[in-house]
Amino acid sequence: ELKAAACRTLPYEEFWKIFAENDIELLKARYPTLLRPLMRNTSTKFWDSYVNKIKSFQYSGTSGWAAYYLFRWILPICGLGFLRKCILKEASKEEVRAEIDKRRSWIRFCTWFLDNVCLKSCSLLAGVPQEQLQLGLHRKDNFAIIFENVLATDLVNDNYFYAGYILGYYTKKNCPRYLEEANYAKMKANLEEGRLELFHGSFEDRLKICEGEKFTVASLLDHMDWMPADWVQREIAALMRNMDLEKGRIYWRSWSENVHSAPLMWLNPRRVDDTGDRVCMYFSTWIAPLKDTRGSDP
């Protein structure tokens, strides 16, 4: 909601400085008079105090704290500080690959450390419940796989997800689309037309007040990984009542290589080729076109 208010009221240059470069002093100056009046009480209760505490958007909260120590301390100590240097000097793919190949032994040690020391002890700080981790305990090299996939992406020019954590800020050539100047006017216009609705509550709470709305896409991300089967069943049943059964599609991703929960099997999902994913933290992605599952409604 803070970003939506900022987009509606601030020029692009100030929006960029706050959310890409972490200009917190500018945020403090604009929040009371320009941003706060456009925000709901549920949001202002949080930001009224937190605006004076936040130091960085990338490194805020417990997951941000974990990211800071991983990307700014652990990786450099393990000999992987070269990634930051490569991004800063805008190294070519060939130069980055050469640096990676020179440090294979360090990379093996780092991924071993992450798999055997950090995975269980620090996962909660990164917002990963133990129930989700259990879906991958049969794999001994989770981070080795993830790390290799991350290193295969273009960290300098395209993979803003990790480049942002490594640097602590975004660059103009490597940032999310909402931060690109070319998209700013369109985003502002869509917000003014009311095309973004924010809801403070659970997914099921929102579904209870749909009042005849029919959704064509439900992107559930990975939260069902940690839910017991009866919770998944209840959520999918509530969702199906508000989906367009002809055009509707339900999408999710998982730490498991397989459909991990029995109720999801009834959706007859198909696995999606997620090659090119920048996050590289999931082992499968699924989509269920509801016109193929109408005989199997939960």
Side-chain angles (χ1 to χ4, degrees), residues 44-59:
T44 57
K45 285 179 181 178
F46 173 82
W47 279 107
D48 283 353
S49 60
Y50 198 62
V51 73
N52 295 309
K53 299 175 183 177
I54 188 172
K55 300 290 190 292
S56 163
F57 284 98
Q58 271 84 3
Y59 301 140

Side-chain angles (χ1 to χ4, degrees), residues 53 79 104 114 132 238:
K53 299 175 183 177
R104 281 294 170 189
L114 291 171
Q132 187 170 36

Side-chain angles (χ1 to χ4, degrees), residues 47-180:
W47 279 107
D48 283 353
S49 60
Y50 198 62
V51 73
N52 295 309
K53 299 175 183 177
I54 188 172
K55 300 290 190 292
S56 163
F57 284 98
Q58 271 84 3
Y59 301 140
S60 62
T62 52
S63 61
W65 178 88
Y68 176 81
Y69 280 97
L70 173 61
F71 290 102
R72 303 300 293 274
W73 286 90
I74 295 176
L75 293 190
I77 289 172
C78 291
L80 302 182
F82 74 93
L83 291 172
R84 180 180 173 85
K85 294 177 182 177
C86 285
I87 297 171
L88 286 172
K89 74 172 189 176
E90 299 184 1
S92 66
K93 289 183 180 180
E94 292 74 20
E95 289 174 316
V96 175
R97 178 52 57 183
E99 294 294 329
I100 291 170
D101 291 340
K102 286 192 294 187
R103 294 168 172 83
R104 281 294 170 189
S105 58
W106 279 110
I107 291 172
R108 284 194 293 271
F109 169 76
C110 184
T111 55
W112 175 90
F113 180 81
L114 291 171
D115 271 317
N116 292 277
V117 178
C118 295
L119 185 59
K120 293 182 179 179
S121 60
C122 300
S123 61
L124 288 177
L125 292 176
V128 182
Q130 289 294 321
E131 293 84 354
Q132 187 170 36
L133 286 182
Q134 289 173 2
L135 298 176
L137 291 182
H138 61 287
R139 300 184 299 259
K140 296 181 180 180
D141 54 355
N142 285 290
F143 272 104
I145 296 170
I146 291 168
F147 214 76
E148 283 300 321
N149 289 337
V150 172
L151 293 178
T153 66
D154 186 353
L155 290 168
V156 176
N157 301 297
D158 180 61
N159 196 336
Y160 61 80
F161 182 84
Y162 287 102
Y165 278 130
I166 292 170
L167 295 179
Y169 57 87
Y170 294 117
T171 65
K172 284 288 179 73
K173 68 184 301 182
N174 196 0
C175 64
R177 285 183 294 175
Y178 78 89
L179 286 171
E180 293 177 358

